[in-house]
PDB file of all heavy atoms in Angstrom:
ATOM      1  N   LEU A  87     104.423 141.949 137.382  1.00 98.00           N
ATOM      2  CA  LEU A  87     105.002 140.773 137.584  1.00 98.00           C
ATOM      3  C   LEU A  87     106.057 140.316 136.457  1.00 98.00           C
ATOM      4  O   LEU A  87     106.724 139.229 136.469  1.00 98.00           O
ATOM      5  CB  LEU A  87     104.011 139.528 137.493  1.00 98.00           C
ATOM      6  CG  LEU A  87     103.018 139.522 138.632  1.00 98.00           C
ATOM      7  CD1 LEU A  87     101.976 138.405 138.511  1.00 98.00           C
ATOM      8  CD2 LEU A  87     103.787 139.386 139.958  1.00 98.00           C
ATOM      9  N   ALA A  88     106.331 141.283 135.491  1.00 98.00           N
ATOM     10  CA  ALA A  88     107.147 141.010 134.430  1.00 98.00           C
ATOM     11  C   ALA A  88     108.598 140.682 134.847  1.00 98.00           C
ATOM     12  O   ALA A  88     109.076 139.671 134.441  1.00 98.00           O
ATOM     13  CB  ALA A  88     107.104 142.111 133.430  1.00 98.00           C
ATOM     14  N   ALA A  89     109.180 141.486 135.610  1.00 98.00           N
ATOM     15  CA  ALA A  89     110.492 141.190 136.046  1.00 98.00           C
ATOM     16  C   ALA A  89     110.636 139.903 136.776  1.00 98.00           C
ATOM     17  O   ALA A  89     111.677 139.191 136.585  1.00 98.00           O
ATOM     18  CB  ALA A  89     111.042 142.272 137.047  1.00 98.00           C
ATOM     19  N   HIS A  90     109.731 139.545 137.707  1.00 97.00           N
ATOM     20  CA  HIS A  90     109.775 138.339 138.581  1.00 97.00           C
ATOM     21  C   HIS A  90     109.596 137.061 137.470  1.00 97.00           C
ATOM     22  O   HIS A  90     110.404 136.083 137.745  1.00 97.00           O
ATOM     23  CB  HIS A  90     108.530 138.354 139.431  1.00 97.00           C
ATOM     24  CG  HIS A  90     108.364 137.043 140.170  1.00 97.00           C
ATOM     25  ND1 HIS A  90     109.308 136.502 141.164  1.00 97.00           N
ATOM     26  CD2 HIS A  90     107.359 136.090 140.071  1.00 97.00           C
ATOM     27  CE1 HIS A  90     108.893 135.364 141.558  1.00 97.00           C
ATOM     28  NE2 HIS A  90     107.800 135.103 140.876  1.00 97.00           N
ATOM     29  N   ILE A  91     108.779 137.139 136.607  1.00 98.00           N
ATOM     30  CA  ILE A  91     108.517 135.933 135.797  1.00 98.00           C
ATOM     31  C   ILE A  91     109.712 135.823 134.775  1.00 98.00           C
ATOM     32  O   ILE A  91     110.122 134.697 134.467  1.00 98.00           O
ATOM     33  CB  ILE A  91     107.189 136.164 134.965  1.00 98.00           C
ATOM     34  CG1 ILE A  91     106.025 136.096 135.994  1.00 98.00           C
ATOM     35  CG2 ILE A  91     107.131 134.938 133.965  1.00 98.00           C
ATOM     36  CD1 ILE A  91     105.954 134.787 136.814  1.00 98.00           C
ATOM     37  N   ALA A  92     110.292 136.925 134.259  1.00 98.00           N
ATOM     38  CA  ALA A  92     111.408 136.993 133.411  1.00 98.00           C
ATOM     39  C   ALA A  92     112.612 136.288 134.082  1.00 98.00           C
ATOM     40  O   ALA A  92     113.287 135.588 133.515  1.00 98.00           O
ATOM     41  CB  ALA A  92     111.771 138.425 132.963  1.00 98.00           C
ATOM     42  N   ALA A  93     112.716 136.725 135.404  1.00 98.00           N
ATOM     43  CA  ALA A  93     113.793 136.201 136.218  1.00 98.00           C
ATOM     44  C   ALA A  93     113.700 134.701 136.440  1.00 98.00           C
ATOM     45  O   ALA A  93     114.624 133.920 136.365  1.00 98.00           O
ATOM     46  CB  ALA A  93     113.998 136.906 137.607  1.00 98.00           C
ATOM     47  N   ARG A  94     112.360 134.190 136.640  1.00 97.00           N
ATOM     48  CA  ARG A  94     112.137 132.823 136.814  1.00 97.00           C
ATOM     49  C   ARG A  94     112.592 132.076 135.552  1.00 97.00           C
ATOM     50  O   ARG A  94     113.228 131.089 135.574  1.00 97.00           O
ATOM     51  CB  ARG A  94     110.587 132.689 137.051  1.00 97.00           C
ATOM     52  CG  ARG A  94     109.891 131.501 136.473  1.00 97.00           C
ATOM     53  CD  ARG A  94     110.211 129.978 137.115  1.00 97.00           C
ATOM     54  NE  ARG A  94     109.559 128.987 136.303  1.00 97.00           N
ATOM     55  CZ  ARG A  94     108.609 128.240 136.786  1.00 97.00           C
ATOM     56  NH1 ARG A  94     108.194 128.455 138.030  1.00 97.00           N
ATOM     57  NH2 ARG A  94     108.164 127.288 136.134  1.00 97.00           N
ATOM     58  N   PHE A  95     112.143 132.559 134.434  1.00 98.00           N
ATOM     59  CA  PHE A  95     112.458 131.895 133.153  1.00 98.00           C
ATOM     60  C   PHE A  95     114.017 131.938 132.943  1.00 98.00           C
ATOM     61  O   PHE A  95     114.652 130.894 132.523  1.00 98.00           O
ATOM     62  CB  PHE A  95     111.872 132.576 131.905  1.00 98.00           C
ATOM     63  CG  PHE A  95     110.397 132.368 131.935  1.00 98.00           C
ATOM     64  CD1 PHE A  95     109.580 133.344 131.114  1.00 98.00           C
ATOM     65  CD2 PHE A  95     109.810 131.405 132.488  1.00 98.00           C
ATOM     66  CE1 PHE A  95     108.236 133.131 131.041  1.00 98.00           C
ATOM     67  CE2 PHE A  95     108.378 131.129 132.401  1.00 98.00           C
ATOM     68  CZ  PHE A  95     107.553 132.050 131.749  1.00 98.00           C
TER      69      PHE A  95
END
Side-chain angles (χ1 to χ4, degrees):
L87 296 177
H90 171 70
I91 297 302
R94 144 71 188 252
F95 290 159

